[in-house]
C-alpha cells in the first residue's frame, strides 16, 4: 500500500502545468493569471469630478453665499478641454474631466442648481471632490500579478486599465468515463441487477467547478476491447482521462485489464474509502483511474484530483480549509489507513473549536448521507478510534 500523500504527489506531478493562452476577459472568469499584466492607462486616467456639482476656484467661494456665472457645462464624456476663468463656475457631472484652473468641486446639493448663474451656499477646501489621475493605478505599473485568481474585481480592473485579453492557464480538458455493464442512463427503466449511472455527473460537475472542461462517456461496458475502441481514439483531444470503476480485485476489472502494461500503474492507497487507485499515461495522455463506488469517487476527487487540477491551473491554494473540531460521537477507523468520513461541522460564536458529527456510516455506497455533509472528518493512519469529545481534523467542503 502507498500513502495518500504519495499518491497525491504522483497525480499532481502527472498533470504538470496547463499551457498558457490569451483569453478574452469574458472567458477568463475563475482562471489564474499566468503573467504579470501592466496598466495601459492610469486610473483615473485624468483628474475628474467625484460629484455632480460645480467646478470652481476654492478662493472664489471663500465667503458664502456667493453667485458666480456658469461659463461651461461639462457632462461625463466631454473630451475637449475647458479652462476655468477666475470668478466663474463650470457645471460638472460625476466622472467629467476637471477644467484646468479649477481646484475644487461644490456638490449640487450645496447650490441652487443654476445653469446660467449659480448661487453657492457652502465653501470648499482645496481639492474637494476631485479624483486625481493615477490615484488608484499608475500607468505602466503591474495592475495584476501572476498567480492572481480572476474574480469579478480582478476582471473589472483588467477591463478598466484597457485590457481586452489576459494570459491565463488554459482550462484543462478532462475526459470522464464511467465503466460497468450494470450501468443504465435514466430515463431508461432499470432491470433487476442494473443501476443508474451517477459517477459521471459528479465528476464532471466537480471538474467544471474548478474551471476545467469535462467531456463525458457514460457507461462503457466491462469489455476490454470495447473500452479500448471507444476511449483510445478520444485521448488525443484531452489533457486527462479520468475513469471510474473496474480497478479493484475482482474479475471483469475492465480499466485494470485494459491499461495494465500500457503505462498505467494500479496500486492500493492507504485510505478508506477509495483504496484501489491507478495513474499513469496511456498513449502519452495522463490517466487517473478511480474506484467505482460513488462515495469513493468523490473522496478520491477531493484527495487527488482537486489539488492536482488546481495546481495545474496555476492555483497556489489547492487545499481545503482544515479546522479542528470536537466529535459529537465516537468513531472507529481501520488501522493503517487514513479515513475520510462525511461529516457536518458547526461552529457557534464564542467557541474556540467547532463540533463535528459523522453523516452516515463508512460505507462507500452511502451517497445520500454525503448530500447532508459539509465536511470530511479525517482520522489519520495511526488512529483506530476516536471518542466523543476528541478533537479531530476536519476538511471544509
Ligand atoms: P467497481 O469498482 O467497478 O467494482 O464498482 C464498485 C461499485 O460501484 C459497484 O457497486 C458498481 O456498481 C458501482 N459503480 C461503479 N460505477 C458506477 C457509476 N458510474 N455510477 C454508479 N455506481 C457505480
Ligand atoms: Mg465495475
Amino acid at each position: 500500500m502507498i500513502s495518500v500523500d504519495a499518491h497525491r504527489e504522483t497525480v499532481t506531478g502527472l498533470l504538470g502545468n496547463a499551457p498558457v493562452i490569451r483569453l478574452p476577459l469574458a472567458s477568463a472568469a475563475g482562471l489564474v493569471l499566468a503573467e504579470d499584466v501592466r496598466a495601459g492607462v492610469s486610473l483615473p486616467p485624468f483628474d475628474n469630478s467625484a460629484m455632480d456639482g460645480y467646478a470652481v476656484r476654492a478662493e472664489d467661494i471663500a465667503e458664502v453665499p456667493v453667485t458666480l456665472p456658469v461659463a461651461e457645462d461639462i457632462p461625463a464624456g466631454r473630451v475637449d478641454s475647458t479652462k476655468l476663468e477666475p470668478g466663474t463656475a463650470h457645471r460638472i457631472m460625476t466622472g467629467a474631466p476637471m477644467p484646468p484652473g479649477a481646484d475644487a468641486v461644490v456638490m449640487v446639493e450645496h447650490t441652487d442648481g443654476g445653469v446660467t448663474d449659480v448661487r453657492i451656499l457652502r465653501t470648499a477646501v482645496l481639492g474637494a471632490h476631485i479624483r486625481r489621475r493615477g490615484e488608484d493605478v499608475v500607468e505602466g505599473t503591474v495592475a495584476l500579478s501572476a498567480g492572481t485568481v480572476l474574480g469579478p474585481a480582478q476582471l473589472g480592473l483588467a477591463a478598466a486599465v484597457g485590457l481586452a485579453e489576459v494570459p491565463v492557464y488554459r482550462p484543462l480538458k478532462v475526459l470522464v468515463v464511467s465503466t460497468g455493464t450494470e450501468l443504465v442512463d435514466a430515463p431508461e427503466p432499470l432491470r433487476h441487477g442494473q443501476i443508474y449511472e451517477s459517477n459521471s455527473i459528479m465528476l464532471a460537475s466537480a471538474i467544471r467547478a474548478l474551471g476545467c472542461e469535462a467531456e463525458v462517456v457514460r457507461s462503457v461496458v466491462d469489455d476490454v476491447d470495447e473500452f479500448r475502441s471507444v476511449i483510445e481514439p478520444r485521448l488525443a483531444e484531452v489533457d486527462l482521462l479520468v475513469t471510474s470503476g473496474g480497478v479493484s480485485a475482482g474479475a471483469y476489472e475492465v480499466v485494470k485489464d485494459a491499461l495494465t502494461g500500457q503505462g498505467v500503474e494500479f496500486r492500493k492507497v492507504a485510505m478508506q474509502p477509495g483504496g484501489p487507485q491507478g495513474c499513469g499515461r496511456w498513449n502519452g495522455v495522463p490517466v487517473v483511474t478511480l474506484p467505482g463506488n460513488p462515495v469513493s469517487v468523490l473522496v478520491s476527487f477531493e484527495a487527488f484530483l482537486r489539488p492536482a487540477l488546481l495546481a495545474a491551473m496555476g492555483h497556489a491554494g489547492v487545499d481545503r480549509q482544515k479546522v479542528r473540531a470536537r466529535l459529537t460521537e465516537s468513531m472507529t477507523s481501520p488501522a493503517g489507513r487514513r479515513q475520510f468520513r462525511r461529516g457536518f461541522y458547526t461552529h457557534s460564536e464564542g467557541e474556540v473549536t467547532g463540533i463535528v458529527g459523522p453523516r452516515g456510516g463508512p460505507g462507500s455506497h452511502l451517497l445520500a448521507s454525503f448530500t447532508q455533509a459539509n465536511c470530511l472528518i479525517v482520522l489519520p493512519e495511526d488512529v483506530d478510534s476516536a471518542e466523543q469529545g476528541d478533537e479531530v481534523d476536519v476538511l471544509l467542503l
Side-chain angles (χ1 to χ4, degrees):
M1 274 205 295
I2 65 157
S3 73
V4 173
D5 297 335
H7 190 60
R8 170 174 153 160
E9 246 178 66
T10 308
V11 173
T12 299
L14 189 66
L15 287 192
N17 271 336
V20 176
I21 53 165
R22 305 187 71 81
L23 283 182
L25 298 188
S27 306
L31 301 180
V32 178
L33 201 60
E35 299 157 14
D36 291 351
V37 293
R38 289 176 185 277
V41 295
S42 288
L43 289 184
F46 48 87
D47 288 0
N48 68 86
S49 178
M51 289 288 171
D52 295 327
Y54 295 84
V56 296
R57 299 193 321 155
E59 67 187 76
D60 291 342
I61 61 165
E63 273 167 38
V64 288
V66 60
T67 299
L68 299 177
V70 177
E72 290 283 349
D73 203 29
I74 318 176
R78 188 165 167 182
V79 293
D80 61 333
S81 187
T82 59
K83 188 171 178 330
L84 184 99
E85 299 300 338
T88 70
H90 290 183
R91 193 163 77 126
I92 192 166
M93 301 304 144
T94 304
M98 284 297 290
D103 56 24
V105 171
V106 184
M107 56 202 277
V108 67
E109 290 84 349
H110 295 163
T111 73
D112 69 353
V115 290
T116 49
D117 293 293
V118 61
R119 188 170 158 82
I120 292 175
L121 309 171
R122 300 219 194 152
T123 60
V125 296
L126 269 183
H129 304 310
I130 300 173
R131 305 191 289 210
R132 295 293 178 191
R133 169 170 204 272
E135 196 174 68
D136 194 11
V137 177
V138 175
E139 181 181 341
T141 61
V142 173
L144 294 165
S145 46
T148 299
V149 181
L150 297 169
Q154 292 75 17
L155 290 168
L157 183 66
V161 298
L163 294 166
E165 294 181 340
V166 275
V168 291
Y169 294 99
R170 169 167 77 59
L172 291 178
K173 294 191 189 106
V174 184
L175 178 59
V176 173
V177 177
S178 293
T179 67
T181 304
E182 73 278 26
L183 304 176
V184 169
D185 297 355
E188 200 181 309
L190 289 185
R191 291 162 56 196
H192 181 68
Q194 297 182 322
I195 60 169
Y196 286 122
E197 196 281 311
S198 60
N199 288 344
S200 67
I201 185 67
M202 287 199 300
L203 280 170
S205 60
I207 287 164
R208 289 182 188 128
L210 304 181
C212 300
E213 292 169 11
E215 282 176 47
V216 169
V217 174
R218 248 182 126 173
S219 317
V220 179
V221 295
D222 292 322
D223 179 274
V224 167
D225 293 333
E226 176 82 4
F227 177 86
R228 286 202 183 126
S229 68
V230 172
I231 305 309
E232 199 166 10
R234 305 193 59 162
L235 288 176
E237 303 147 31
V238 298
D239 301 300
L240 170 67
L241 167 65
V242 176
T243 64
S244 68
V247 294
S248 49
Y252 313 106
E253 302 291 6
V254 64
V255 174
K256 205 178 203 175
D257 295 345
L259 300 184
T260 297
Q262 304 285 315
V264 180
E265 272 190 51
F266 296 89
R267 41 184 58 169
K268 217 157 167 99
V269 176
M271 67 192 285
Q272 190 208 45
Q277 299 283 343
C279 73
R281 286 176 189 274
W282 185 18
N283 294 352
V285 177
V287 179
V288 174
T289 69
L290 307 179
N293 276 303
V295 173
S296 307
V297 165
L298 264 193
V299 168
S300 305
F301 177 84
E302 284 295 323
F304 310 121
L305 280 174
R306 184 178 183 278
L309 288 169
L310 285 175
M313 303 267 295
H315 289 268
V318 303
D319 290 318
R320 293 287 196 182
Q321 189 189 347
K322 191 197 269 190
V323 296
R324 298 282 287 171
R326 273 179 294 106
L327 274 179
T328 58
E329 58 189 88
S330 61
M331 284 171 48
T332 58
S333 172
R337 290 171 183 240
R338 191 179 302 179
Q339 191 185 42
F340 296 90
R341 284 280 290 273
R342 281 62 61 206
F344 195 82
Y345 169 82
T346 49
H347 189 189
S348 21
E349 225 175 297
E351 297 278 316
V352 179
T353 51
I355 55 171
V356 69
R359 288 290 178 274
S364 56
H365 59 299
L366 302 172
L367 188 56
S369 43
F370 210 139
T371 67
Q372 275 137 39
N374 65 1
C375 68
L376 292 173
I377 304 169
V378 186
L379 296 184
E381 291 78 349
D382 59 356
V383 165
D384 55 15
S385 70
E387 303 306 319
Q388 183 184 349
D390 283 356
E391 269 192 24
V392 290
D393 282 335
V394 166
L395 300 173
L396 301 180
L397 298 178

